Coordinates of all heavy atoms in Angstrom, one line a residue:
M1 N 0.8 -1.2 0.1 CA 0.0 0.0 0.0 C 0.9 1.2 0.0 O 1.8 1.4 0.8 CB -1.0 -0.1 1.3 CG -1.8 1.1 1.3 SD -2.9 1.0 2.9 CE -3.1 2.7 3.2
R2 N 0.6 2.2 -0.9 CA 1.3 3.4 -0.9 C 0.9 4.4 0.2 O -0.3 4.6 0.3 CB 1.1 4.0 -2.3 CG 2.1 5.0 -2.6 CD 2.0 5.4 -4.1 NE 2.7 6.7 -4.3 CZ 2.7 7.3 -5.3 NH1 1.8 7.0 -6.3 NH2 3.4 8.6 -5.4
V3 N 1.9 4.9 0.8 CA 1.5 5.9 1.9 C 1.5 7.2 1.4 O 2.3 7.6 0.6 CB 2.6 5.8 3.0 CG1 2.2 6.8 4.2 CG2 2.6 4.5 3.7
R4 N 0.4 7.9 1.6 CA 0.3 9.3 1.1 C 1.2 10.2 2.0 O 1.3 10.1 3.2 CB -1.1 9.7 1.4 CG -1.4 11.1 0.8 CD -2.9 11.4 0.9 NE -3.1 12.8 0.3 CZ -4.2 13.2 -0.2 NH1 -5.2 12.4 -0.2 NH2 -4.3 14.4 -0.7
R5 N 2.0 11.1 1.2 CA 2.9 12.0 2.0 C 2.1 13.1 2.6 O 1.0 13.4 2.2 CB 3.9 12.6 1.0 CG 3.4 13.4 -0.1 CD 4.5 13.8 -1.0 NE 4.0 14.5 -2.1 CZ 4.6 14.7 -3.2 NH1 5.8 14.3 -3.4 NH2 4.1 15.4 -4.2
K6 N 2.7 13.7 3.6 CA 2.1 14.8 4.4 C 2.0 16.0 3.4 O 2.8 16.3 2.6 CB 3.0 15.2 5.5 CG 2.9 14.3 6.7 CD 3.8 14.8 7.8 CE 3.6 16.2 8.2 NZ 4.5 16.6 9.4
P7 N 0.9 16.7 3.6 CA 0.7 17.9 2.7 C 1.9 18.9 3.0 O 2.3 19.1 4.1 CB -0.6 18.6 3.1 CG -1.2 17.6 4.2 CD -0.2 16.6 4.5
N8 N 2.3 19.5 2.0 CA 3.3 20.6 2.0 C 2.6 22.0 2.2 O 2.0 22.6 1.3 CB 4.1 20.6 0.7 CG 5.2 21.7 0.8 OD1 5.3 22.5 1.7 ND2 6.0 21.7 -0.3
P9 N 2.7 22.6 3.4 CA 2.0 23.9 3.7 C 2.6 25.1 2.9 O 2.0 26.1 2.7 CB 2.2 24.1 5.1 CG 3.4 23.4 5.5 CD 3.5 22.1 4.6
N10 N 3.8 24.9 2.3 CA 4.4 26.0 1.6 C 4.1 25.9 0.1 O 4.8 26.6 -0.7 CB 5.9 26.0 1.8 CG 6.2 26.4 3.3 OD1 5.6 27.3 3.8 ND2 7.2 25.7 3.9
R11 N 3.4 24.8 -0.4 CA 3.2 24.7 -1.8 C 2.2 25.7 -2.2 O 1.1 25.9 -1.6 CB 2.6 23.3 -2.0 CG 2.3 23.0 -3.5 CD 1.7 21.7 -3.7 NE 2.5 20.7 -4.0 CZ 3.0 20.4 -5.3 NH1 2.7 21.2 -6.2 NH2 3.8 19.4 -5.4
N12 N 2.5 26.5 -3.2 CA 1.6 27.5 -3.8 C 0.9 26.9 -5.0 O 1.5 26.1 -5.7 CB 2.3 28.8 -4.1 CG 2.8 29.6 -2.9 OD1 2.0 29.7 -2.1 ND2 4.0 30.0 -2.9
H13 N -0.3 27.5 -5.2 CA -1.0 26.9 -6.4 C -1.1 28.0 -7.5 O -1.8 29.0 -7.3 CB -2.4 26.6 -6.0 CG -3.2 25.9 -7.1 ND1 -3.9 26.7 -8.1 CD2 -3.4 24.6 -7.4 CE1 -4.4 25.8 -8.9 NE2 -4.1 24.5 -8.5
P14 N -0.3 27.9 -8.5 CA -0.4 28.8 -9.7 C -1.6 28.8 -10.4 O -2.2 27.6 -10.5 CB 0.8 28.5 -10.6 CG 1.1 27.0 -10.3 CD 0.6 26.8 -8.8
L15 N -2.2 29.8 -10.8 CA -3.4 29.8 -11.7 C -3.2 29.6 -13.2 O -4.1 29.1 -13.8 CB -4.2 31.0 -11.5 CG -4.7 31.3 -10.0 CD1 -5.3 32.7 -9.9 CD2 -5.6 30.2 -9.5
H16 N -2.0 30.0 -13.7 CA -1.6 29.8 -15.0 C -0.3 29.3 -15.2 O 0.6 29.6 -14.4 CB -1.8 31.2 -15.7 CG -3.1 31.7 -15.6 ND1 -4.2 31.5 -16.5 CD2 -3.5 32.7 -14.8 CE1 -5.2 32.2 -16.2 NE2 -4.9 32.9 -15.1
C17 N 0.0 28.6 -16.3 CA 1.4 28.2 -16.6 C 2.2 29.4 -17.0 O 1.7 30.2 -17.7 CB 1.3 27.2 -17.7 SG 3.0 26.8 -18.5
P18 N 3.4 29.7 -16.4 CA 4.1 30.9 -16.7 C 4.7 30.8 -18.2 O 5.2 31.8 -18.7 CB 5.3 30.9 -15.8 CG 5.4 29.4 -15.3 CD 4.0 28.9 -15.4
Y19 N 4.6 29.7 -18.8 CA 5.1 29.6 -20.3 C 4.0 29.8 -21.3 O 4.3 30.5 -22.3 CB 5.9 28.3 -20.3 CG 7.0 28.2 -19.5 CD1 7.0 27.6 -18.3 CD2 8.3 28.9 -19.7 CE1 8.0 27.4 -17.3 CE2 9.3 28.8 -18.8 CZ 9.1 28.1 -17.7 OH 10.1 28.0 -16.8
C20 N 2.9 29.2 -21.1 CA 1.9 29.2 -22.1 C 0.5 29.7 -21.6 O -0.4 29.7 -22.3 CB 1.6 27.8 -22.8 SG 0.8 26.6 -21.7
A21 N 0.5 30.0 -20.4 CA -0.8 30.6 -19.7 C -1.9 29.6 -19.7 O -3.1 29.9 -19.4 CB -1.2 31.8 -20.4
S22 N -1.7 28.3 -19.8 CA -2.7 27.3 -19.7 C -3.1 27.2 -18.2 O -2.4 27.5 -17.3 CB -2.2 26.0 -20.2 OG -3.0 24.9 -19.8
E23 N -4.4 26.8 -18.1 CA -4.9 26.6 -16.6 C -4.9 25.1 -16.3 O -5.4 24.6 -15.2 CB -6.3 27.2 -16.6 CG -6.3 28.7 -16.7 CD -7.7 29.2 -16.7 OE1 -8.7 28.5 -16.7 OE2 -7.8 30.5 -16.8
L24 N -4.5 24.3 -17.2 CA -4.4 22.8 -17.0 C -3.2 22.5 -16.3 O -2.3 21.9 -16.8 CB -4.6 22.0 -18.3 CG -5.9 21.9 -18.8 CD1 -5.9 21.2 -20.3 CD2 -6.8 21.1 -18.0
L25 N -3.1 22.7 -14.9 CA -1.9 22.4 -14.1 C -2.3 21.3 -13.2 O -3.3 21.3 -12.5 CB -1.5 23.7 -13.5 CG -1.2 24.9 -14.3 CD1 -0.9 26.1 -13.5 CD2 0.0 24.5 -15.3
F26 N -1.3 20.4 -12.9 CA -1.5 19.4 -12.0 C -0.1 19.3 -11.1 O 1.0 19.5 -11.7 CB -1.8 18.0 -12.6 CG -3.2 18.1 -13.1 CD1 -3.3 18.4 -14.5 CD2 -4.2 17.7 -12.3 CE1 -4.6 18.4 -15.0 CE2 -5.5 17.7 -12.9 CZ -5.8 18.0 -14.2
P27 N -0.2 19.0 -9.9 CA 1.0 18.8 -9.1 C 1.9 17.7 -9.7 O 1.3 16.7 -10.3 CB 0.5 18.3 -7.7 CG -0.9 18.8 -7.7 CD -1.4 18.8 -9.1
D28 N 3.1 17.9 -9.7 CA 4.1 16.9 -10.3 C 5.0 16.3 -9.3 O 5.2 16.9 -8.3 CB 4.9 17.6 -11.4 CG 5.7 16.7 -12.3 OD1 5.2 16.1 -13.1 OD2 6.9 16.3 -11.9
E29 N 5.5 15.1 -9.5 CA 6.3 14.4 -8.5 C 7.8 14.8 -8.5 O 8.6 14.3 -7.8 CB 6.2 12.9 -8.7 CG 4.8 12.3 -8.4 CD 4.6 10.8 -8.7 OE1 5.6 10.4 -9.4 OE2 3.7 10.3 -8.2
E30 N 8.2 15.7 -9.5 CA 9.5 16.1 -9.6 C 10.1 16.6 -8.3 O 11.2 16.2 -7.8 CB 9.7 17.2 -10.7 CG 11.1 17.6 -11.1 CD 11.7 16.5 -11.9 OE1 11.1 15.7 -12.7 OE2 13.0 16.4 -11.9
T31 N 9.4 17.6 -7.7 CA 9.8 18.1 -6.4 C 8.6 18.3 -5.6 O 7.4 18.3 -6.1 CB 10.6 19.5 -6.5 OG1 9.7 20.5 -6.9 CG2 11.7 19.4 -7.4
E32 N 8.8 18.8 -4.4 CA 7.5 19.1 -3.6 C 6.8 20.4 -4.0 O 5.6 20.6 -3.6 CB 8.0 19.5 -2.1 CG 8.4 18.3 -1.4 CD 7.2 17.5 -0.8 OE1 6.2 18.1 -0.2 OE2 7.1 16.3 -1.1
F33 N 7.4 21.2 -4.9 CA 6.8 22.4 -5.4 C 6.6 22.4 -6.9 O 6.1 23.4 -7.5 CB 7.8 23.6 -5.1 CG 8.0 23.7 -3.6 CD1 9.1 23.1 -3.0 CD2 7.2 24.3 -2.7 CE1 9.4 23.2 -1.7 CE2 7.3 24.5 -1.4 CZ 8.5 23.9 -0.9
A34 N 6.7 21.2 -7.5 CA 6.6 21.1 -9.0 C 5.2 21.1 -9.5 O 4.3 20.5 -8.8 CB 7.3 20.0 -9.4
W35 N 4.9 21.7 -10.6 CA 3.6 21.6 -11.3 C 3.9 21.3 -12.8 O 4.9 21.5 -13.4 CB 2.9 23.0 -11.3 CG 2.6 23.4 -9.9 CD1 3.3 24.0 -8.9 CD2 1.3 23.0 -9.3 NE1 2.5 24.1 -7.8 CE2 1.3 23.5 -8.0 CE3 0.1 22.4 -9.7 CZ2 0.3 23.4 -7.1 CZ3 -1.0 22.2 -8.8 CH2 -0.9 22.7 -7.5
S36 N 2.9 20.5 -13.3 CA 3.0 20.0 -14.6 C 1.9 20.6 -15.5 O 0.8 20.6 -15.1 CB 2.9 18.5 -14.7 OG 2.8 18.0 -16.0
C37 N 2.3 21.2 -16.7 CA 1.3 21.9 -17.5 C 0.9 20.8 -18.6 O 1.7 20.2 -19.2 CB 2.0 23.1 -18.1 SG 0.9 23.8 -19.4
Q38 N -0.3 20.6 -18.7 CA -0.8 19.6 -19.6 C -0.9 20.1 -21.1 O -1.0 19.3 -21.9 CB -2.3 19.2 -19.2 CG -2.3 18.6 -17.8 CD -1.4 17.4 -17.5 OE1 -1.5 16.3 -18.2 NE2 -0.3 17.6 -16.8
D39 N -0.7 21.4 -21.2 CA -0.8 21.9 -22.6 C 0.6 22.0 -23.2 O 0.8 21.4 -24.3 CB -1.5 23.2 -22.6 CG -3.0 23.1 -22.7 OD1 -3.5 22.1 -23.0 OD2 -3.6 24.2 -22.2
C40 N 1.6 22.5 -22.5 CA 2.9 22.7 -23.1 C 3.9 21.6 -22.5 O 5.1 21.4 -23.0 CB 3.5 24.0 -23.0 SG 3.9 24.4 -21.2
L41 N 3.4 20.7 -21.6 CA 4.1 19.6 -21.0 C 5.4 20.0 -20.2 O 6.2 19.2 -20.0 CB 4.5 18.6 -22.1 CG 3.3 18.1 -22.9 CD1 3.8 17.0 -23.9 CD2 2.3 17.3 -21.9
R42 N 5.5 21.3 -20.0 CA 6.6 21.7 -19.0 C 6.3 21.4 -17.6 O 5.1 21.4 -17.2 CB 6.8 23.3 -19.2 CG 7.4 23.7 -20.6 CD 7.6 25.2 -20.6 NE 8.4 25.6 -21.7 CZ 7.9 26.1 -22.8 NH1 6.6 26.3 -23.0 NH2 8.7 26.4 -23.9
V43 N 7.3 21.2 -16.8 CA 7.3 21.0 -15.4 C 8.1 22.2 -14.8 O 9.2 22.4 -15.1 CB 7.9 19.6 -15.0 CG1 7.9 19.5 -13.4 CG2 7.0 18.6 -15.6
F44 N 7.4 22.9 -13.9 CA 8.1 24.1 -13.3 C 7.7 24.1 -11.8 O 6.8 23.3 -11.3 CB 7.6 25.3 -14.0 CG 6.2 25.6 -13.9 CD1 5.6 26.3 -12.8 CD2 5.3 25.1 -14.9 CE1 4.2 26.5 -12.8 CE2 3.9 25.3 -14.8 CZ 3.3 26.0 -13.7
S45 N 8.4 24.8 -11.0 CA 8.2 25.0 -9.6 C 7.8 26.3 -9.2 O 8.2 27.4 -9.8 CB 9.5 24.6 -8.8 OG 9.8 23.3 -9.0
V46 N 6.9 26.4 -8.1 CA 6.6 27.7 -7.6 C 6.7 27.6 -6.1 O 6.2 26.7 -5.5 CB 5.0 28.0 -7.9 CG1 4.6 29.3 -7.3 CG2 4.8 28.1 -9.4
Q47 N 7.6 28.4 -5.6 CA 8.0 28.3 -4.2 C 8.0 29.7 -3.6 O 8.5 30.6 -4.1 CB 9.3 27.6 -4.1 CG 9.7 27.3 -2.7 CD 11.0 26.4 -2.7 OE1 11.6 26.2 -3.6 NE2 11.3 26.0 -1.4
F48 N 7.3 29.7 -2.4 CA 7.3 31.0 -1.5 C 8.5 31.0 -0.6 O 8.8 30.1 0.1 CB 6.0 31.0 -0.8 CG 5.9 32.2 0.1 CD1 5.6 33.4 -0.5 CD2 5.9 32.2 1.5 CE1 5.5 34.6 0.3 CE2 5.8 33.2 2.3 CZ 5.6 34.5 1.7
H49 N 9.4 32.1 -0.9 CA 10.6 32.2 0.0 C 10.5 33.0 1.2 O 11.4 33.2 2.0 CB 11.8 32.7 -0.9 CG 12.2 31.7 -1.9 ND1 13.0 30.6 -1.7 CD2 11.8 31.6 -3.3 CE1 13.2 29.8 -2.8 NE2 12.5 30.4 -3.7
G50 N 9.4 33.8 1.3 CA 9.3 34.7 2.5 C 8.8 36.0 1.9 O 8.5 36.2 0.8
Q51 N 8.8 37.0 2.9 CA 8.3 38.3 2.5 C 9.2 39.3 3.0 O 9.7 39.3 4.2 CB 6.9 38.5 3.1 CG 6.2 39.8 2.7 CD 4.7 39.7 3.1 OE1 4.3 38.9 3.9 NE2 4.0 40.6 2.6
D52 N 9.6 40.4 2.2 CA 10.5 41.4 2.7 C 9.6 42.4 3.5 O 8.5 42.4 3.5 CB 11.0 42.2 1.5 CG 12.1 41.4 0.7 OD1 12.6 40.4 1.3 OD2 12.3 41.6 -0.5
D53 N 10.5 43.1 4.4 CA 9.8 44.1 5.2 C 9.5 45.2 4.2 O 10.2 45.6 3.3 CB 10.8 44.7 6.2 CG 10.9 43.7 7.4 OD1 10.1 42.9 7.6 OD2 12.0 43.7 7.9
P54 N 8.3 45.9 4.4 CA 8.0 47.1 3.6 C 8.9 48.2 3.9 O 9.5 48.4 4.9 CB 6.6 47.5 4.1 CG 6.5 46.9 5.4 CD 7.4 45.8 5.5
P55 N 9.2 49.1 2.8 CA 10.1 50.2 3.0 C 9.7 51.2 4.0 O 10.5 51.8 4.8 CB 10.1 50.8 1.6 CG 9.0 50.3 0.9 CD 8.7 49.1 1.5
V56 N 8.3 51.4 4.1 CA 7.7 52.3 5.2 C 6.7 51.4 5.9 O 5.8 50.8 5.3 CB 7.1 53.5 4.5 CG1 6.5 54.3 5.7 CG2 8.1 54.3 3.8
K57 N 6.8 51.3 7.2 CA 6.0 50.5 8.0 C 4.7 51.3 8.4 O 4.9 52.5 8.8 CB 6.6 50.0 9.3 CG 7.4 48.8 9.0 CD 7.8 48.1 10.3 CE 8.6 46.9 10.0 NZ 8.8 46.1 11.2
P58 N 3.5 50.8 8.1 CA 2.4 51.6 8.5 C 2.3 51.7 10.0 O 2.7 50.8 10.7 CB 1.1 50.8 8.0 CG 1.7 49.5 7.8 CD 3.1 49.6 7.5
E59 N 1.6 52.8 10.5 CA 1.4 52.9 11.9 C 0.5 51.8 12.4 O -0.4 51.4 11.7 CB 0.9 54.2 12.3 CG 1.9 55.4 12.2 CD 1.2 56.8 12.7 OE1 0.5 56.7 13.6 OE2 1.6 57.7 12.1
P60 N 0.6 51.4 13.6 CA -0.3 50.4 14.0 C -1.7 51.0 14.2 O -1.8 52.2 14.5 CB 0.3 50.0 15.5 CG 1.3 51.0 15.8 CD 1.7 51.7 14.6
A61 N -2.7 50.3 13.9 CA -4.1 50.7 13.9 C -4.4 51.2 15.4 O -4.0 50.5 16.3 CB -5.0 49.6 13.3
R62 N -5.2 52.2 15.4 CA -5.8 52.7 16.7 C -6.9 51.7 17.2 O -7.6 51.2 16.3 CB -6.3 54.1 16.5 CG -5.3 55.2 16.4 CD -5.9 56.6 16.5 NE -5.4 57.2 15.3 CZ -6.1 57.9 14.4 NH1 -7.4 58.0 14.6 NH2 -5.5 58.5 13.4
S63 N -7.0 51.7 18.4 CA -8.1 51.0 19.1 C -9.4 51.7 18.8 O -9.4 52.9 18.5 CB -8.0 50.7 20.5 OG -8.1 52.0 21.2
S64 N -10.5 51.1 18.9 CA -11.8 51.8 18.6 C -12.0 52.9 19.7 O -12.4 54.0 19.2 CB -12.9 50.7 18.9 OG -12.8 49.7 17.9
H65 N -11.6 52.7 20.8 CA -11.7 53.7 21.8 C -10.9 55.0 21.5 O -11.4 56.1 21.5 CB -11.3 53.2 23.2 CG -11.4 54.2 24.3 ND1 -12.5 54.6 24.8 CD2 -10.4 55.0 24.9 CE1 -12.3 55.6 25.7 NE2 -11.0 55.8 25.8
E66 N -9.6 54.8 21.0 CA -8.7 55.9 20.6 C -9.3 56.6 19.4 O -9.3 57.8 19.4 CB -7.3 55.4 20.3 CG -6.5 54.9 21.5 CD -5.2 54.3 21.1 OE1 -5.2 53.6 20.0 OE2 -4.3 54.4 21.9
A67 N -9.9 55.7 18.4 CA -10.4 56.4 17.2 C -11.6 57.2 17.6 O -11.8 58.3 17.1 CB -10.7 55.3 16.2
L68 N -12.5 56.7 18.5 CA -13.7 57.5 18.8 C -13.3 58.7 19.6 O -13.8 59.9 19.3 CB -14.6 56.6 19.7 CG -15.8 57.3 20.2 CD1 -16.7 57.7 19.1 CD2 -16.6 56.3 21.2
A69 N -12.3 58.6 20.5 CA -11.8 59.8 21.3 C -11.2 60.8 20.4 O -11.5 62.0 20.5 CB -10.8 59.3 22.3
N70 N -10.4 60.5 19.4 CA -9.9 61.5 18.4 C -11.0 62.1 17.6 O -10.9 63.4 17.3 CB -8.8 60.7 17.5 CG -7.5 60.4 18.3 OD1 -7.3 60.9 19.4 ND2 -6.7 59.7 17.5
S71 N -11.9 61.3 17.2 CA -13.0 61.8 16.3 C -13.8 62.9 17.2 O -14.1 63.9 16.6 CB -13.9 60.7 15.8 OG -15.1 61.2 15.1
L72 N -14.1 62.5 18.5 CA -14.9 63.4 19.2 C -14.1 64.7 19.4 O -14.6 65.9 19.5 CB -15.3 62.8 20.5 CG -16.4 61.7 20.4 CD1 -16.5 60.9 21.7 CD2 -17.7 62.2 19.9
K73 N -12.8 64.6 19.7 CA -11.9 65.7 20.1 C -11.9 66.6 18.8 O -11.9 67.8 19.0 CB -10.5 65.2 20.3 CG -9.6 66.2 21.0 CD -8.3 65.5 21.4 CE -7.2 66.5 21.7 NZ -6.0 65.8 22.0
R74 N -11.8 66.1 17.6 CA -11.7 66.9 16.4 C -13.0 67.7 16.2 O -12.9 68.8 15.7 CB -11.6 66.0 15.2 CG -10.1 66.0 14.7 CD -10.0 65.1 13.4 NE -10.0 63.8 13.7 CZ -10.8 62.8 13.1 NH1 -11.7 63.2 12.1 NH2 -10.8 61.6 13.4
K75 N -14.1 67.2 16.7 CA -15.4 67.9 16.5 C -15.7 68.7 17.7 O -16.8 69.2 17.9 CB -16.5 66.9 16.2 CG -16.2 66.1 14.9 CD -17.2 65.3 14.4 CE -16.7 64.8 13.1 NZ -17.4 63.8 12.5
G76 N -14.7 68.9 18.7 CA -14.9 69.8 19.8 C -15.6 69.2 21.0 O -16.1 70.0 21.8
H77 N -15.7 67.9 21.0 CA -16.4 67.3 22.2 C -15.3 66.8 23.2 O -14.2 66.5 22.8 CB -17.2 66.1 21.8 CG -18.3 66.4 20.9 ND1 -19.4 67.0 21.2 CD2 -18.4 66.3 19.5 CE1 -20.3 67.3 20.2 NE2 -19.6 66.8 19.0
E78 N -15.8 66.7 24.4 CA -14.8 66.2 25.5 C -15.4 64.8 25.9 O -16.6 64.7 25.9 CB -14.8 67.2 26.7 CG -14.1 68.5 26.3 CD -12.6 68.3 26.1 OE1 -12.0 67.5 26.8 OE2 -12.1 69.1 25.2
L79 N -14.4 63.9 26.4 CA -14.9 62.7 26.8 C -15.2 62.7 28.3 O -14.6 63.4 29.0 CB -13.9 61.6 26.6 CG -14.1 61.0 25.2 CD1 -13.0 59.7 25.1 CD2 -15.5 60.3 25.0
Ligands
ZN101 ZN1 2.3 25.5 -20.2

C-alpha cells in the first residue's frame, strides 16, 4: 500500500502556466513544489521564499476607543 505523503504547507497553487498561460496544471512528483502543465508539457516549480519588510511600515491601527476619542476631540467634544 502506498503511503500518502504529508501535505506541504508551503506549496503555492499557480493559476496559469508561466510559459503558455494554460490553466491545466497538476502537481508533479519532480519536487515538492513542482507543477506540470498539460498543454505545453513543461514542469516548473513555484515556491514561496518569504516576504521582505515594507520600505515604510504603517502605523499600528488605533483601538476603537482611541479612534472614537480622536473623532470626538476633532469635533470639539470632550470625553
Ligand atoms: Zn504551459
Side-chain angles (χ1 to χ4, degrees):
M1 181 179 147
R2 194 167 165 196
V3 179
R4 185 177 178 151
R5 65 184 174 197
K6 279 178 54 178
N8 178 356
N10 293 320
R11 180 185 266 280
N12 287 314
H13 185 277
L15 298 178
H16 301 277
C17 171
Y19 300 96
C20 73
S22 168
E23 295 177 356
L24 277 175
L25 302 174
F26 290 93
D28 192 82
E29 293 176 345
E30 188 74 29
T31 70
E32 283 285 307
F33 301 94
W35 291 88
S36 171
C37 175
Q38 301 302 297
D39 280 340
C40 70
L41 303 178
R42 287 183 170 100
V43 176
F44 59 92
S45 292
V46 177
Q47 189 170 3
F48 180 68
H49 291 279
Q51 188 171 12
D52 289 337
D53 287 333
V56 178
K57 282 194 174 185
E59 283 187 35
R62 283 185 234 135
S63 70
S64 298
H65 178 75
E66 288 171 329
L68 176 62
N70 285 353
S71 175
L72 289 173
K73 193 175 167 187
R74 261 187 281 129
K75 299 192 174 168
H77 300 284
E78 293 291 325
L79 277 182

